[in-house]
Amino acid sequence: MLLSVKDLKIHYKTRKGPVHAVDGISFDVPEGKVVGVVGESGCGKTTAVRSLLRVMPSVAAFAGGEAVFDGRDILKLSEREMNDLRWRDIAYIPQSAMNALDPVWRVGDQIVEVLVKRGGMKKAEAKKRAEELFAMVGLEMKRLRDYPHQFSGGMRQRASIALSLALNPRLVIADEPVTALDVIIQRQVLDTFSRLQREFGLSVVLVTHDISVVAYVCDYVVVMYAGKVVEKGPVRDVLTKPSHAYTIGLYNAFPELSADEERELSPIEGGPPLLFHPPEGCRFRARCPFATEICKQEPVEVQVGPEHYSLCHRAHETAELREQAKDPAVWRGVVTA
Amino acid sequence: MRDEILLDVDNLSKSFTLTRSLGDVLRSRTPKVDAVSDISFTLKRGETIGIVGESGCGKTTLGRMLLKLIEPTGGKITFAGQDLSALSHEEELAFRRRAQLVFQNPFDALNPHFTIRRSLYEPLFNTRVPEDKHDRMVAEALVRVQLDGMMHLLDSYPHQLSGGQLQRVVLARALVLQPDFIVADEPVSMLDVSVRAGILNVLREVRDTMGLAAVFISHDLALVRYVCERTITMYLGSVVEDGPTKDVVTNPLHPYTRALVQAVPVPSVDQSHEPLPLTGGLPDARNPPPGCRFSDRCPLADDGCRLGRPALREVAPGRRVACFKVPSLA
Ligand SMILES: Nc1ncnc2c1ncn2[C@@H]1O[C@H](COP(=O)(O)OP(=O)(O)OP(=O)(O)O)[C@@H](O)[C@H]1O
Ligand SMILES: Nc1ncnc2c1ncn2[C@@H]1O[C@H](COP(=O)(O)OP(=O)(O)OP(=O)(O)O)[C@@H](O)[C@H]1O
Ligand code: SF4
Ligand SMILES: [Mg+2]
Ligand SMILES: [Mg+2]
């Protein structure tokens, strides 16, 4: 396993007490695979992936667990060892990467800078590599001379992917790389990831809140809810046999182009719990149409298929729940408090 | 009443003058971008129209002109029989009551220092609606967006609301003056899928119950398809296709709409990974190709397409397309 995250916990210190933003999550990233991390805003996606590079705000702290990359626990590395790992082994494309390029520098110069400073290359060598990188993400070489504002959003996003690949990392962590892009450019950026995976065996952790993005490029998916991983597994299995009530809900809320005209969408009413004092039992309970008495107890992860796990008390009944969930009435008036 | 035309857009254009580079100065040239060029369509009372197209094609510019937030550089907009460029002060005030904008980002749309109550009452004060009507109008708007069960929210501040609640408040704020026309510019793109569904349902309700005419802007056809009876596709400032949403989605005629339909993301593993039927790079609004503006990316383009500009013409009742290669269906 290239990366194995086990029971990872991250807290933010605040005046009101610790925010349990990531509260004991586990998942694997196999070599050469694209793993999607999905979940609604605030569920801890960014917190989780930034911790893998140890680029965290000072108020964030590890509160337990491990993240083993290629045999070594990232959390235990010295700052120097960590520095060697960044860019070279694991590269990161931050959530606002579109604006991450420095506006006063030519894009090409920014890539050359990373290659020279971090990769110890000579300038001429670095220039050639920059051209290679642009070709890899499907940008024209002559655009290396442009400033970031001369790029469209999609081109900027591809340039940040090129930058992240500068030192040939084995794993790229991309936080919401297509969220602000229109459907056509989104498709091109996602195709870029697929091609890098196919041609160079790149592994990718791709954060998104959109299950259609997951369906398009990912091999595996990790579904997060309020600081927990509630379901994970091969994409096909999770999408065709969602086995946690939250994942089932996500699917029913998704507008489809081909769906019949009168199909009503089912929103998941209410919002996620605050993470100061996460509620006991299943965290989705207050919004879940299928919650029963047992859901007040802490759920444990159960295996529902090959490599497919769910953190739902009713995971063994989900075939039936999936049927019931198709009726929008089931999702109405769930939230009482 | 329903067939009455509310909005008549006639050859509407907007070009922006850009800052001149040194090269422009030397060649004494003023660069400009035609954000919207020669757009014509009509909107009936109670009709919802979707405007789709990729980033930079002019959707927002068009929407802002329809609300008289920016002035066109050419053409004319007639709203309920009145030329928008020739309104008296009183008429303009009335127009501002009747036509409303729903912002894209609910987090920016409300003043963070105002309670929700104050934000909802403000438009009523601003447009001098008699005060004895205020409570009833706010209450009605809250019912429309299905927030009436949550009156306690009125005394909260924006940061205390969830994204979905906020977007409902933003919508309620647009509806409080009981407009007969709204422009919603990407009203759900900032929201999570789980809450987005609720807003789309509300928009549908509003459409069905209020008889409101609406222009709904998005780059995602799947969203437009949920709320709009009719869809217009824009490409580099022009309308390239216009028709009933159902027909446009199931049988797109213009080669660009076909690519847009294919690009709509679907939550299924068995979707096509075929490259989109588009050649060439990205559109450049500052240097559109001669002839058909889509000709440099169009898989069907031939020499004729690079010479003349195809007109938007009716190819079947209610369906208009601007492409030389699309035969008439009738
Ligand atoms: N610096 C911070 N101090 C305190 N709490 C924080 C801080 N940063 C994030 N949080 C909280 O931690 C939780 C997880 O935030 P995070 O940014 O990881 O979510 P996310 O899943 O990436 O959301 P989004 O989809 O909006 O990017 C949220 O409840 C957030 O409010
Ligand atoms: N104030 C302005 N000055 C100069 N150019 C502008 C201005 N506003 C818009 N433009 C240009 O006009 C064109 C259309 O922009 P517009 O914002 O209407 O597109 P859009 O379809 O709404 O795009 P998006 O989907 O990204 O919101 C673009 O080329 C844009 O750069
Ligand atoms: S007119 Fe020609 S170039 Fe334009 S869309 Fe039709 S086929 Fe393509
Ligand atoms: Mg995030
Ligand atoms: Mg816009």
Side-chain angles (χ1 to χ4, degrees):
Chain A
M1 200 54 62
L2 184 62
L3 172 70
S4 196
V5 175
K6 288 205 187 74
D7 202 27
L8 184 68
K9 293 189 174 127
I10 297 154
H11 294 174
Y12 288 105
K13 284 171 241 151
T14 71
R15 270 181 298 153
K16 287 194 242 162
V19 176
H20 304 251
V22 169
D23 203 15
I25 64 167
S26 305
F27 66 91
D28 290 332
V29 181
E31 186 99 48
K33 299 291 180 195
V34 180
V35 176
V37 177
V38 279
E40 69 198 308
S41 188
C43 72
K45 306 181 294 295
T46 297
T47 306
V49 298
R50 285 182 62 145
S51 77
L52 300 176
L53 286 122
R54 301 211 338 225
V55 281
M56 299 151 74
S58 57
V59 292
F62 286 110
E66 56 181 36
V68 180
F69 178 82
D70 199 21
R72 293 191 298 169
D73 185 355
I74 291 175
L75 276 49
K76 296 211 176 76
L77 296 181
S78 70
E79 198 44 47
R80 234 193 94 206
E81 288 169 317
M82 193 63 220
N83 250 325
D84 283 345
L85 200 81
R86 288 189 196 114
W87 294 98
R88 231 180 277 280
D89 292 298
I90 309 180
Y92 177 54
I93 306 175
Q95 186 155 0
S96 51
M98 284 237 276
N99 314 316
L101 295 164
D102 193 327
V104 299
W105 279 43
R106 291 182 201 276
V107 177
D109 292 347
Q110 300 189 42
I111 298 180
V112 167
E113 157 111 348
V114 170
L115 292 166
V116 171
K117 277 212 178 132
R118 310 290 309 230
M121 284 187 190
K122 292 254 162 34
K123 196 121 188 217
E125 195 188 352
K127 277 191 169 153
K128 265 196 71 193
R129 174 73 182 150
E131 290 179 359
E132 262 172 48
L133 290 166
F134 254 43
M136 277 164 78
V137 298
L139 288 170
E140 285 175 281
M141 274 195 280
K142 64 170 196 234
R143 305 298 301 241
L144 280 164
R145 297 178 48 79
D146 284 0
Y147 290 92
H149 75 266
Q150 291 168 296
F151 278 19
S152 71
M155 289 165 75
R156 253 179 283 166
Q157 198 56 269
R158 275 190 275 177
S160 3
I161 298 173
L163 186 62
S164 76
L165 298 173
L167 303 186
N168 260 324
R170 295 166 70 189
L171 175 66
V172 168
I173 296 175
D175 196 352
E176 307 263 12
V178 296
T179 302
L181 304 177
D182 74 53
V183 290
I184 287 185
I185 301 176
Q186 166 171 322
R187 172 72 82 95
Q188 292 169 345
V189 171
L190 294 179
D191 284 342
T192 305
F193 280 113
S194 298
R195 201 165 42 76
L196 295 168
Q197 175 196 20
R198 213 170 43 238
E199 291 176 13
F200 304 96
L202 187 72
S203 313
V204 181
V205 171
L206 193 149
V207 176
T208 173
H209 58 256
D210 188 340
I211 49 170
S212 68
V213 167
V214 167
Y216 189 74
V217 281
C218 297
D219 302 295
Y220 292 89
V221 58
V222 174
V223 184
M224 283 186 70
Y225 185 79
K228 295 273 189 195
V229 167
V230 294
E231 182 164 359
K232 65 190 171 196
V235 168
R236 176 177 296 274
D237 298 343
V238 173
L239 289 183
T240 53
K241 295 186 212 102
S243 297
H244 189 284
Y246 173 65
T247 322
I248 297 175
L250 268 186
Y251 204 85
N252 284 293
F254 203 89
E256 266 188 279
L257 191 61
S258 52
D260 82 272
E261 196 126 338
E262 291 313 313
R263 180 191 148 201
E264 196 184 324
L265 297 174
S266 308
I268 305 175
E269 291 175 5
L274 292 178
L275 297 175
F276 292 109
H277 303 289
E280 282 179 23
C282 174
R283 295 195 174 176
F284 187 54
R285 186 162 46 107
R287 300 167 77 188
C288 180
F290 306 121
T292 61
E293 205 49 34
I294 189 170
C295 302
K296 291 182 184 158
Q297 293 168 28
E298 205 60 39
V300 283
E301 198 169 78
V302 289
Q303 184 158 15
V304 292
E307 299 181 276
H308 187 179
Y309 300 86
S310 161
L311 193 67
C312 178
H313 280 293
R314 305 189 65 183
H316 54 284
E317 305 169 63
T318 44
E320 199 201 313
L321 301 186
R322 282 195 289 271
E323 278 312 305
Q324 292 179 22
K326 286 182 183 158
D327 179 3
V330 166
W331 294 92
R332 255 181 249 134
V334 174
V335 184
T336 43
Chain B
M1 156 119 168
R2 239 207 89 102
D3 280 336
E4 194 186 322
I5 286 174
L6 180 68
L7 186 76
D8 188 348
V9 176
D10 187 23
N11 282 313
L12 196 64
S13 298
K14 174 79 186 177
S15 52
F16 291 104
T17 315
L18 304 168
T19 25
R20 300 162 91 191
S21 67
L22 185 61
D24 295 322
V25 175
L26 292 178
R27 270 166 245 145
S28 58
R29 189 171 62 172
T30 310
K32 63 179 182 91
V33 50
D34 294 318
V36 167
S37 49
D38 270 337
I39 286 191
S40 301
F41 66 93
T42 56
L43 183 68
K44 292 186 203 130
R45 249 175 223 288
E47 191 179 22
T48 39
I49 249 187
I51 309 270
V52 295
E54 69 204 296
S55 188
C57 72
K59 304 181 295 295
T60 295
T61 306
L62 173 63
R64 297 182 70 84
M65 283 193 286
L66 298 181
L67 291 175
K68 202 170 159 58
L69 297 172
I70 52 175
E71 291 302 321
T73 44
K76 184 170 147 189
I77 305 171
T78 312
F79 181 86
Q82 282 177 314
D83 179 350
L84 279 195
S85 66
L87 299 182
S88 68
H89 179 71
E90 282 307 306
E91 286 167 339
E92 175 152 348
L93 201 64
F95 175 73
R96 300 253 167 250
R97 258 199 302 266
R98 296 180 68 183
Q100 294 292 323
L101 175 67
V102 181
F103 284 93
Q104 164 169 11
N105 186 346
F107 304 93
D108 295 341
L110 300 173
N111 186 325
H113 306 295
F114 288 2
T115 59
I116 300 303
R117 182 187 306 279
R118 179 154 176 206
S119 286
L120 288 172
Y121 278 80
E122 200 187 31
L124 296 164
F125 284 109
N126 288 350
T127 52
R128 293 187 241 140
V129 172
E131 263 185 63
D132 58 326
K133 291 189 176 167
H134 289 193
D135 288 344
R136 189 178 47 83
M137 290 171 84
V138 167
E140 277 178 19
L142 289 172
V143 173
R144 300 259 181 243
V145 301
Q146 295 163 19
L147 273 182
D148 47 320
M150 315 193 81
M151 289 312 214
H152 58 282
L153 289 183
L154 287 183
D155 294 308
S156 315
Y157 288 88
H159 73 269
Q160 294 167 311
L161 270 59
S162 73
Q165 289 169 335
L166 264 187
Q167 190 56 292
R168 278 169 209 244
V169 170
V170 171
L171 192 58
R173 189 169 192 265
L175 297 179
V176 81
L177 291 167
Q178 302 178 340
D180 30 22
F181 175 50
I182 59 170
V183 172
D185 193 352
E186 308 267 11
V188 295
S189 57
M190 303 290 289
L191 300 175
D192 273 315
V193 174
S194 52
V195 292
R196 205 165 72 178
I199 302 292
L200 290 173
N201 285 343
V202 167
L203 284 167
R204 233 150 91 144
E205 278 285 315
V206 166
R207 173 192 79 183
D208 294 343
T209 57
M210 274 184 88
L212 190 68
V215 166
F216 180 98
I217 296 172
S218 175
H219 58 85
D220 186 350
L221 258 170
L223 301 180
V224 165
R225 134 105 182 50
Y226 260 87
V227 269
C228 304
E229 302 142 283
R230 200 172 129 204
T231 296
I232 283 181
T233 310
M234 281 181 71
Y235 188 81
L236 281 185
S238 306
V239 173
V240 294
E241 180 155 2
D242 173 10
T245 305
K246 197 159 166 251
D247 300 340
V248 171
V249 164
T250 52
N251 180 25
L253 295 175
H254 194 281
Y256 176 67
T257 318
R258 274 183 229 158
L260 263 189
V261 168
Q262 197 180 314
V264 169
V266 287
S268 155
V269 206
D270 299 309
Q271 57 188 303
S272 155
H273 281 63
E274 286 287 301
L276 298 177
L278 290 173
T279 56
L282 293 163
D284 181 357
R286 293 168 198 196
N287 296 300
C292 171
R293 290 195 157 192
F294 186 52
S295 59
D296 58 342
R297 290 170 85 198
C298 179
L300 306 179
D302 59 18
D303 287 344
C305 302
R306 285 179 273 269
L307 284 174
R309 189 102 184 254
L312 190 63
R313 70 200 152 87
E314 187 151 52
V315 292
R319 292 201 73 176
R320 300 188 298 163
V321 179
C323 171
F324 293 123
K325 301 285 183 181
V326 176
S328 287
L329 303 178

